[in-house]
Amino acid sequence: MILSASRRTDIPAFFSEWFFNRLDEGYFLVRNPSFPHKVSRVEVSPEVIDCIVFWTKNPLPMLSRLDRLKGWDYYFQFTLTGYGKDIETHLPDKKKVLIPAFIELSERIGPERVIWRYDPILFNEKYNEEYHIRAFSRIASSLKEHTEKCVISFVDDYNKIRRTLRSLSEAKLSEDRLIDFAGRLCRIAAENGMATATCAEKIDLSSVGIEHNSCIDRSLIERITGGKLMAGKDKAQREQCGCVESIEMGTYNTCSNGCKYCYANFSPESIAANLAGYDPAAPMLCGKLGPDDTVYEKNMRSLLDFRITF
């Protein structure tokens, strides 16, 4: 099984101590966000976890502990955009801190295992097409030879963030302008040795050399592990998502990056309440079992096949 760490929060940035404790203990608990009293107990061991996919905007707190991942297969999705603190409120300086962190991570684990995400892309008077082109070009040139792929997406109009998007005066581009814009990004990425793909986008950008991406990527996992992954499409994700099935270990409303476009945080009050309950030794991230909870043992097994075929 593939372990997602995590679509719901930034584990490398804020909860790496909890994460490594879970590896040491060999299990974690995770609450079902749709049915809050249903809790899964998930085994984590190299025998059943085929690959770990990390999602982060700042891996620095985890970099000094990468040796603790020896014996595990993994890769990172690293989001690095051109937004300022008006959009990504609490992130460290991109040029001084995060780009060097990306480069260090790549040099330690290999460029194929660090995916650059320039997403989600939103447009307004400040962050217009030309702004994004300049920012993307600067970052791409800085990351040259330190990643093989860039993933882009356009901001989604989730109900949870609709009011925030209105406050940012988000502008909509026509499909033709989006295609032209994406083509320009693709050419810049190619000049810096990177392929470009999209994340869960309806729009077809194949005419400008951009294919649909799988963030939890069968081909990359097979490349990293050397086995054939016998996993199906993740039915819990959107129709346009190409990811294979995985198990999620994170908790919504726990990320402190403060990104205005984030769909995983509902309110500052919810974040504060959850973070007040953070215990790095607890089996559940920012939560604990209650008297009405029912714990289900998750059936975990390896989905890799290492048999040689002719």
Side-chain angles (χ1 to χ4, degrees), residues 80-99:
L80 191 53
T81 71
Y83 298 119
K85 290 189 177 295
D86 55 334
I87 303 288
E88 296 174 335
T89 309
H90 301 308
L91 290 187
D93 185 271
K94 310 286 179 65
K95 184 176 181 180
K96 296 178 181 178
V97 179
L98 295 181
I99 289 176

Side-chain angles (χ1 to χ4, degrees), residues 119-123 152-156 178 181-182 201 203 205:
D119 80 315
I121 300 169
L122 66 84
F123 301 99
I152 64 170
S153 73
F154 302 106
V155 70
D156 288 307
L178 282 177
F181 170 80
E201 286 294 329
I203 188 170
L205 299 175

Side-chain angles (χ1 to χ4, degrees), residues 23-40:
L23 295 193
D24 292 342
E25 292 285 336
Y27 81 101
F28 66 88
L29 299 179
V30 62
R31 193 176 297 279
N32 185 324
S34 300
F35 303 95
H37 290 301
K38 291 185 176 181
V39 176
S40 293

Side-chain angles (χ1 to χ4, degrees), residues 101-137:
F102 192 111
I103 292 170
E104 180 182 351
L105 179 61
S106 172
E107 289 177 344
R108 292 187 61 178
I109 69 175
E112 74 282 0
R113 291 205 284 160
V114 189
I115 311 301
W116 172 33
R117 301 182 67 96
Y118 189 92
D119 80 315
I121 300 169
L122 66 84
F123 301 99
N124 60 20
E125 186 175 354
K126 176 180 179 180
Y127 297 108
N128 56 30
E129 293 160 80
E130 295 307 314
Y131 180 99
H132 282 296
I133 293 295
R134 291 193 299 270
F136 186 89
S137 182

Side-chain angles (χ1 to χ4, degrees), residues 129-167:
E129 293 160 80
E130 295 307 314
Y131 180 99
H132 282 296
I133 293 295
R134 291 193 299 270
F136 186 89
S137 182
R138 286 195 298 268
I139 298 171
S141 62
S142 298
L143 302 184
K144 187 174 184 178
E145 299 182 353
H146 294 290
T147 186
E148 296 180 354
K149 181 191 281 188
C150 176
V151 174
I152 64 170
S153 73
F154 302 106
V155 70
D156 288 307
D157 189 19
Y158 291 109
N159 289 332
K160 304 166 191 173
I161 62 170
R162 192 165 290 160
R163 182 180 299 176
T164 301
L165 293 180
R166 284 200 297 267
S167 72

Side-chain angles (χ1 to χ4, degrees), residues 34-298:
S34 300
F35 303 95
H37 290 301
K38 291 185 176 181
V39 176
S40 293
R41 186 185 189 279
V42 182
E43 177 189 353
V44 283
S45 70
E47 288 71 37
V48 297
I49 299 299
D50 300 311
C51 190
I52 305 170
V53 181
F54 293 106
W55 316 67
T56 189
K57 290 185 171 75
N58 180 13
L60 280 173
M62 188 175 271
L63 286 185
S64 64
R65 310 182 192 194
L66 287 180
D67 59 320
R68 296 181 65 178
L69 289 171
K70 186 176 181 180
W72 301 81
D73 288 313
Y74 62 94
Y75 65 94
F76 279 77
Q77 305 261 353
F78 192 142
T79 299
L80 191 53
T81 71
Y83 298 119
K85 290 189 177 295
D86 55 334
I87 303 288
E88 296 174 335
T89 309
H90 301 308
L91 290 187
D93 185 271
K94 310 286 179 65
K95 184 176 181 180
K96 296 178 181 178
V97 179
L98 295 181
I99 289 176
F102 192 111
I103 292 170
E104 180 182 351
L105 179 61
S106 172
E107 289 177 344
R108 292 187 61 178
I109 69 175
E112 74 282 0
R113 291 205 284 160
V114 189
I115 311 301
W116 172 33
R117 301 182 67 96
Y118 189 92
D119 80 315
I121 300 169
L122 66 84
F123 301 99
N124 60 20
E125 186 175 354
K126 176 180 179 180
Y127 297 108
N128 56 30
E129 293 160 80
E130 295 307 314
Y131 180 99
H132 282 296
I133 293 295
R134 291 193 299 270
F136 186 89
S137 182
R138 286 195 298 268
I139 298 171
S141 62
S142 298
L143 302 184
K144 187 174 184 178
E145 299 182 353
H146 294 290
T147 186
E148 296 180 354
K149 181 191 281 188
C150 176
V151 174
I152 64 170
S153 73
F154 302 106
V155 70
D156 288 307
D157 189 19
Y158 291 109
N159 289 332
K160 304 166 191 173
I161 62 170
R162 192 165 290 160
R163 182 180 299 176
T164 301
L165 293 180
R166 284 200 297 267
S167 72
L168 295 172
S169 302
E170 185 211 3
K172 299 291 186 181
L173 269 61
S174 68
E175 183 169 310
D176 287 345
R177 284 179 66 182
L178 282 177
I179 292 172
D180 178 72
F181 170 80
R184 294 173 70 186
L185 296 187
C186 183
R187 289 191 291 274
I188 293 168
E191 290 167 1
N192 289 281
M194 307 167 194
T196 307
T198 59
C199 176
E201 286 294 329
K202 293 181 180 179
I203 188 170
D204 183 2
L205 299 175
S206 59
S207 63
V208 292
I210 301 175
E211 301 299 330
H212 291 293
N213 181 62
S214 302
C215 299
I216 299 186
D217 186 342
R218 179 191 308 277
S219 61
L220 179 57
I221 292 169
E222 290 179 344
R223 177 182 173 189
I224 290 171
T225 62
K228 182 175 177 59
L229 187 63
M230 311 299 288
K233 183 185 185 304
D234 192 335
K235 296 178 182 178
Q237 304 303 321
R238 292 171 288 171
E239 180 182 350
Q240 294 78 24
C241 178
C243 290
V244 298
E245 58 190 303
S246 64
I247 184 73
E248 172 64 53
M249 71 184 308
T251 301
Y252 286 120
N253 288 301
T254 57
C255 183
S256 298
N257 283 325
C259 301
K260 298 292 180 65
Y261 50 72
C262 183
Y263 65 86
N265 288 334
F266 309 153
S267 71
E269 294 77 18
S270 297
I271 298 169
N274 285 333
L275 292 180
Y278 173 54
D279 177 359
M284 185 185 297
L285 180 60
C286 297
K288 58 183 179 180
L289 290 175
D292 297 325
D293 290 336
T294 302
V295 179
Y296 299 87
E297 190 75 28
K298 185 73 174 177

